[in-house]
Amino acid sequence: QVQLVESGGGSVQAGGSLRLSCAASERTYAMGWFRQAPGKEREFVAGITWSAGRTEYADSVKGRFTISRDNAKNTVYLQMNGLKPEDTALYYCAAGNGLFMRSRSAYQYWGQGTQVTVSS
């Protein structure tokens, strides 16, 4: 059982930045960030593989968000710049061995979520 501990959420004004962190108890093939706004489906935000550092991004965050990893700390980060009110959501860290990082089914383990609120 992989344990995931998220941190870094908060409230910020539009245009601001936040960095989310997710510490994993062990590595799987990939790590991902998803988000879920009230009344909406949970959606893929970004993903990264531990070994090669291959990344993928949702079109809505490309150019604003950056996912990275620290192998020594088993920690994945999501740097969020240029935040918009539509980025407001509960952000979840996920770990898994599936090959298709954009799919929720690729992830077997999920964090508890951290709230990001962006005001206009």
Side-chain angles (χ1 to χ4, degrees):
Q1 185 81 5
V2 177
Q3 306 294 324
L4 301 173
V5 180
E6 300 149 333
S7 60
S11 297
V12 63
Q13 289 192 326
S17 298
L18 285 173
R19 188 177 82 156
L20 306 183
S21 300
C22 178
S25 59
E26 60 186 89
R27 294 184 207 168
T28 53
Y29 173 72
M31 297 284 290
W33 287 98
F34 286 73
R35 67 187 181 186
Q36 188 167 17
K40 293 190 175 182
E41 295 280 323
R42 190 173 299 189
E43 64 176 2
F44 171 77
V45 176
I48 189 167
T49 60
W50 279 115
S51 57
R54 180 173 65 89
T55 59
E56 292 191 27
Y57 295 92
D59 288 344
S60 59
V61 306
K62 205 172 291 184
R64 299 188 297 123
F65 291 10
T66 303
I67 189 170
S68 61
R69 80 223 192 277
D70 184 331
N71 287 15
K73 295 181 179 179
N74 275 10
T75 299
V76 172
Y77 304 96
L78 184 68
Q79 178 66 43
M80 305 184 293
N81 298 328
L83 282 161
K84 304 175 181 180
E86 52 263 43
D87 294 318
T88 295
L90 191 59
Y91 283 69
Y92 294 92
C93 174
N97 293 309
L99 297 180
F100 302 104
M101 286 193 288
R102 294 175 181 270
S103 172
R104 282 191 290 177
S105 62
Y107 303 91
Q108 292 76 48
Y109 308 100
W110 293 83
Q112 78 283 1
T114 184
Q115 179 68 38
V116 171
T117 302
V118 185
S119 58
S120 58

